[in-house]
Amino acid sequence: DWLDIDFGIAEGVDFIAVSFVKSAEVINHLKSYIAARSRGSDIAVIAKIESIDSLTNLEEIIRASDGAMVARGDLGAQIPLEQVPSIQQKIVKLCRQLNKPVIVASQLLESMIEYPIPTRAEVADVSEAVHQRADALMLSGESAMGRYPDKALIVLSSVSLRIERWWREEKHHEPLELEDVSSSFSDKISEEICISAAKMANKLEVDAVFVYTKGGHMASLLSRCRPDCPIFAFTNSTSVRRRLNLQWGLIPFRLTFSDDMESNLNRTFSLLKARGMIKSGDLVIALSDMLQSIQVMNVP
């Protein structure tokens, strides 16, 4: 394992997932090891929740981690099968409360290892994970050894998009009952800005939210609120841009920031208009963790 971890550090991976985590100590030990081997590294550590020990110490493990994976295959072998759905929902909810990305994995489209079309029950299972507002869904055997990896990915994507579109069409805006996760007054300001921006985005039915962030924290806080529109996140760090791809609703770009916010806005307007992602007249909300500001405007 340590050789594999050394290889990952040397190759500059974005995430390392740890299997059968029993306590936060395991996560903290790995983070210390990464820090000692690669100073300045921002490799994130994902805890795979797949054992009774993981459930016993669930909150401390998630707090210590940079994200969690609901590994339902092994988890279902250790607890009664009928408990897996409620445990999955509990983990997803707790991760969102603590502002940690959560991945639902294992057996989502298991039949597609052999067949080109999933069962209706599998589609319903995927739909439930999307409905629970998980950050990501992950294929396992379907893509690792399956006969139809491309079709499995298409099914996973199309079902997810349809459920999210239905959610928006029906205007299922959730009451934002999220616990405070800020450890400083400055972070608290950012958190309140993001909560307000998400509420405004839904009430004003804006076309997009822009967030300018150096370390990715404000983008993460905004993702946690699950607004009903795309979130375009701009950062000057390549590693932060890659890592933000894991989080719900974020479409990250790397941008060399200017001290002039107006210049940053105009450059991002031009970038996204050229890609057909926004158009003139669209209503957008712009946030910045550098200025701790919020603006509402139309795209010129």
Side-chain angles (χ1 to χ4, degrees):
D1 287 347
W2 293 111
L3 289 174
D4 289 341
I5 290 166
D6 286 340
F7 173 79
I9 293 171
E11 293 298 315
V13 299
D14 295 296
F15 302 98
I16 293 177
V18 187
S19 297
F20 295 99
V21 179
K22 294 183 177 181
S23 68
E25 184 180 355
V26 175
I27 301 297
N28 292 329
H29 181 47
L30 177 55
K31 285 189 169 186
S32 297
Y33 183 85
I34 292 171
R37 289 295 180 110
S38 179
R39 301 202 178 279
S41 168
D42 55 0
I43 295 173
V45 176
I46 304 293
K48 295 179 69 176
I49 308 300
E50 50 191 342
S51 69
I52 293 174
D53 291 325
S54 297
L55 298 178
T56 303
N57 301 307
L58 184 62
E59 184 167 340
E60 72 166 52
I61 289 171
I62 292 175
R63 285 186 182 276
S65 306
D66 299 303
M69 180 190 300
V70 189
R72 306 178 309 170
D74 287 309
L75 187 61
Q78 297 216 0
I79 64 173
L81 289 173
E82 66 272 14
Q83 292 183 19
V84 173
S86 60
I87 293 296
Q88 173 181 311
Q89 186 169 15
K90 177 183 177 180
I91 297 168
V92 170
K93 183 178 179 181
L94 182 59
C95 284
R96 188 176 170 198
Q97 288 285 355
L98 298 177
N99 196 31
K100 307 288 177 130
V102 58
I103 307 160
V104 174
S106 306
Q107 301 175 339
L108 285 166
L109 299 171
E110 188 78 359
S111 69
M112 292 192 75
I113 292 175
E114 295 290 337
Y115 302 103
I117 299 174
T119 67
R120 289 3 176 216
E122 287 169 339
V123 171
D125 181 36
V126 171
S127 301
E128 178 59 21
V130 176
H131 186 265
Q132 290 174 2
R133 314 296 258 175
D135 288 271
L137 308 179
M138 193 181 90
L139 296 175
S140 300
E142 302 93 332
S143 55
M145 62 179 183
R147 296 172 61 187
Y148 305 98
D150 52 342
K151 289 185 178 181
L153 187 59
I154 290 169
V155 168
L156 197 62
S157 176
S158 62
V159 172
S160 299
L161 289 170
R162 182 63 191 92
I163 295 301
E164 289 187 336
R165 186 165 70 249
W166 169 77
W167 187 275
R168 289 191 294 271
E169 289 169 353
E170 296 296 317
K171 300 191 183 301
H172 288 294
H173 296 150
E174 307 158 288
L176 292 175
E177 299 174 358
L178 300 173
E179 298 176 8
D180 292 345
V181 293
S182 304
S183 57
S184 68
F185 184 68
S186 176
D187 284 348
K188 179 62 178 173
I189 293 173
S190 294
E191 189 174 340
E192 291 299 326
I193 287 173
C194 289
I195 291 171
S196 299
K199 289 180 179 178
M200 290 173 65
N202 292 342
K203 288 184 178 180
L204 299 177
E205 298 184 348
V206 304
D207 297 289
V209 178
F210 290 12
V211 55
Y212 300 84
T213 175
K214 287 187 174 180
H217 183 58
M218 183 172 264
S220 177
L221 289 171
L222 187 58
S223 167
R224 177 187 186 226
C225 297
R226 307 297 197 254
D228 286 347
C229 64
I231 305 169
F232 296 107
F234 303 96
T235 176
N236 57 354
S237 166
T238 300
S239 61
V240 170
R241 180 193 64 78
R242 291 200 305 263
R243 198 167 63 247
L244 289 178
N245 278 295
L246 180 60
Q247 299 203 245
W248 187 97
L250 295 182
I251 306 169
F253 294 88
R254 197 185 74 80
L255 180 75
T256 302
F257 290 138
S258 163
D259 291 334
D260 179 15
M261 189 61 188
E262 198 68 29
S263 172
N264 292 331
L265 282 167
N266 288 332
R267 282 189 295 143
T268 50
F269 287 151
S270 298
L271 171 67
L272 297 182
K273 285 168 73 174
R275 294 183 178 220
M277 303 178 93
I278 59 170
K279 62 184 184 299
S280 295
D282 281 354
L283 185 64
V284 301
I285 293 176
L287 317 178
S288 168
D289 64 7
M290 295 163 282
L291 301 177
Q292 289 192 318
S293 63
I294 179 169
Q295 298 174 264
V296 183
M297 66 199 74
N298 290 102
V299 176

